Structure formats: C-alpha cells, structure tokens
Amino acid sequence: MSSIDKQLIQRQMGKRTFQNKLLKALFFMCIVFSILVLGVLIIRVITQGVTHLDWDFLTSFASRFPEEAGFKAAIVGSLWLMVIVAPVSIFLGVGTAIYLEEYAKDNRFTRFIQMNISNLAGVPSVVFGLLGLTFFVRLMEMGRSIMAGGLTLSLLILPIIVVAAQEAIRSVPNDQYEASFAMGASKWQTVRRIVLPSAIPGILTGSILALSRAIGETAPLLMIGALTFIAYLPENVWDGFTVMPIQIFNWTGRPQEEFHLVAASGILVLLFLLIIMNSIAIYIRNKFSKRY
C-alpha cells in the first residue's frame, strides 16, 4: 500500500513540476513580448520624433504648417492644470483617508463610502468628463477654463489618492500608535507627528502616479471643451487652454504625414515629463523610507 502511494506521489510531483515549468516559461514569454512591443513603440516614436524635436518646437505655438508647429501652449496649459490638480486632489485625498482610517466609525455608512471610493477608482475617465461638463462648466458657469479642467481631473484621480493614502496609513505599525499615546499625545498629535511621516512614502508614490495619469488624460478634457488649437498662453485659471495629450491627438488626426512626425515629437516631450515625475516620486519615497 505504501509503495503504491509513493509512486502516486512521484507521478503527481512530476506532473506539478512540468506544469510549473510550463507556466513559468509562458509567463516569461509574456514579459518578453510586452517588452518587445514597448521597445518597438519607443524606437518608432524616437526615430520619427527626434527630427522635429528642437528648441523652436518647445517655444513655438501650434500652426497650420507642420514645419512651424510648436508645443509651447500645450506644455504651459498642462503645467497650469497641475497647479490646480495637485493641491486639490492631494489635500482632499489625504484628508479623506485620514478621516476614514483614524476618526470614522466602522458602520454601514463608512463601509458604503469605502465601497464607492473603490468603485470610482475604476470608472472610465469619460464619465468624469461628463460630470465636469455638467457641474463645473454649465452649472457653476466656469466655462471651458483651466479651473474647470483642473477640478474635473482632480475628481478623476481623487479615488486613487484616497486608496493609496489609506493603504499607507494602514501600514504604520500599532507600536508607534501605542508609544505616542503612552507619551500623552492626543489623537491629532499622533496622526500629525507619527502616522503621516511614516506614511509619506506610500502617499507620495500614489499621489505622483495619480498625477502622472492626470497629465496624460485626454477624454475628460475633450468632454468639457478644451481647445485643440490655441496660439496664446493662458494668463489665469479662467482662460481657455489646451494640453499636451489633446495637441498630440489633434496632430495625429491630420491627414499630412508631417504632422504625424510632429506628434511623435510631442509624445517624446510628454514621456520625458512623465519620467521626471516618476523619478521624483522614487527619490522622495526612498529618502523618507530611510528616515522613517
């Protein structure tokens, strides 16, 4: 009986080992395929866009002629949007996470809020564009302004920041809470001096990744009526605007092949900006991880 069981176990182990090797090879091939596709896309964008990428491209406005088309208004418009999106979404998102994790009672209402926050994180961006069009553009009469676009994108990334901040706060060890309370600190003093500094790496990582998503969004801004062609710089948050993704979208829709090459140059600028944002996130996260 024991001999039969031993042979059966050996056959099962051989079958499991084969399945493990097969799945390992399959997953490795998926990774290689994804990297190859990404590499081909990057190489294609670089070879097409590097010819038009110069200082004039960065300091010129959009034009009907591809050799004179520039990216200046789109870059400045994206920076204007981040001036609104970053403080609004980060302050509201982190504040909401602190309240839900530290002060709110565990009842049906808070669980309902948690469920809706998680669901909103997966809602298509065009839905937030419709919300921004209805509420900010028409109901609050902000028009097609930077303020309307910034608040719309803030709503888009707010659930992501809330979830990331909650996970960062939950990762703080209970020992730090108990030590703070044992020293006579109040709830808010514990949150401000113990919890937030320890959770900063996770909060910053989630926030900057969310901002990276916002700076690359097109659909919500098209829904609220962001301009596709603009030959001036906005002077305040109530002016019309365009952003890098919309300008790239406009160029790729042109029938002339030259505009497609100009769009590739715009993609390179957007990728460079996203790499800088993510590099800053990694640097700040590593710095605070060593400190706390």
Side-chain angles (χ1 to χ4, degrees):
M1 188 68 178
S2 59
S3 176
I4 296 176
D5 293 340
K6 186 175 181 180
Q7 292 177 358
L8 179 61
I9 291 174
Q10 289 179 349
R11 287 197 300 268
Q12 291 179 345
M13 289 300 297
K15 182 179 179 180
R16 292 176 181 177
T17 302
F18 173 76
Q19 290 178 347
N20 180 61
K21 292 180 179 180
L22 180 62
L23 292 175
K24 182 179 179 181
L26 179 62
F27 294 152
F28 178 76
M29 290 175 61
C30 293
I31 294 174
V32 172
F33 177 76
S34 301
I35 294 176
L36 286 177
V37 173
L38 179 62
V40 170
L41 290 175
I42 292 177
I43 292 175
R44 180 176 175 82
V45 170
I46 292 176
T47 54
Q48 290 184 343
V50 71
T51 56
H52 290 78
L53 189 59
D54 53 19
W55 185 250
D56 291 335
F57 176 75
L58 299 176
T59 57
S60 300
F61 292 103
S63 174
R64 295 180 300 159
F65 307 101
E67 62 275 5
E68 299 178 2
F71 216 38
K72 182 178 180 179
I75 295 174
V76 175
S78 295
L79 295 178
W80 266 104
L81 274 185
M82 291 301 105
V83 169
I84 297 175
V85 174
V88 171
S89 58
I90 292 176
F91 287 142
L92 288 179
V94 176
T96 302
I98 291 174
Y99 175 78
L100 290 176
E101 291 297 320
E102 302 294 338
Y103 294 99
K105 297 180 180 180
D106 186 12
N107 51 36
R108 291 184 178 179
F109 180 69
T110 55
R111 288 194 292 269
F112 176 76
I113 294 177
Q114 292 276 16
M115 180 185 66
N116 280 275
I117 290 175
S118 301
N119 291 334
L120 285 174
V123 171
S125 59
V126 67
V127 176
F128 288 95
L130 292 172
L131 176 62
L133 175 64
T134 303
F135 188 75
F136 297 122
V137 176
R138 295 180 178 175
L139 185 61
M140 299 189 68
E141 298 183 353
M142 293 184 179
R144 302 174 180 180
S145 62
I146 296 174
M147 179 63 73
L151 293 178
T152 301
L153 291 182
S154 297
L155 292 179
L156 172 65
I157 66 174
L158 187 60
I160 303 174
I161 296 179
V162 172
V163 172
Q166 284 185 282
E167 293 298 329
I169 293 173
R170 291 171 188 166
S171 65
V172 178
N174 290 328
D175 295 344
Q176 297 189 19
Y177 284 91
E178 295 173 359
S180 178
F181 292 142
M183 296 296 293
S186 63
K187 184 72 172 181
W188 171 241
Q189 288 175 330
T190 301
V191 171
R192 181 168 59 91
R193 299 180 180 179
I194 303 298
V195 177
L196 281 181
S198 299
I200 276 180
I203 292 175
L204 288 178
T205 300
S207 298
I208 297 182
L209 291 177
L211 292 175
S212 299
R213 178 188 175 183
I215 204 172
E217 281 291 344
T218 306
L221 300 179
L222 288 175
M223 291 303 302
I224 68 170
L227 303 175
T228 57
F229 183 90
I230 186 172
Y232 61 89
L233 295 181
E235 297 181 356
N236 54 64
V237 296
W238 305 109
D239 287 344
F241 70 101
T242 189
V243 292
M244 290 184 283
I246 290 181
Q247 187 64 71
I248 294 171
F249 173 77
N250 183 28
W251 284 333
T252 55
R254 299 289 186 88
Q256 298 92 332
E257 181 66 25
E258 292 79 6
F259 274 111
H260 298 170
L261 301 180
V262 177
S265 300
I267 293 173
L268 288 178
V269 176
L270 181 58
L271 285 176
F272 180 72
L273 183 59
L274 292 176
I275 290 173
I276 290 178
M277 293 179 64
N278 285 274
S279 300
I280 293 174
I282 294 173
Y283 171 76
I284 296 176
R285 181 187 62 189
N286 293 338
K287 180 180 180 180
F288 281 95
S289 295
K290 294 178 182 178
R291 183 177 177 182
Y292 297 99

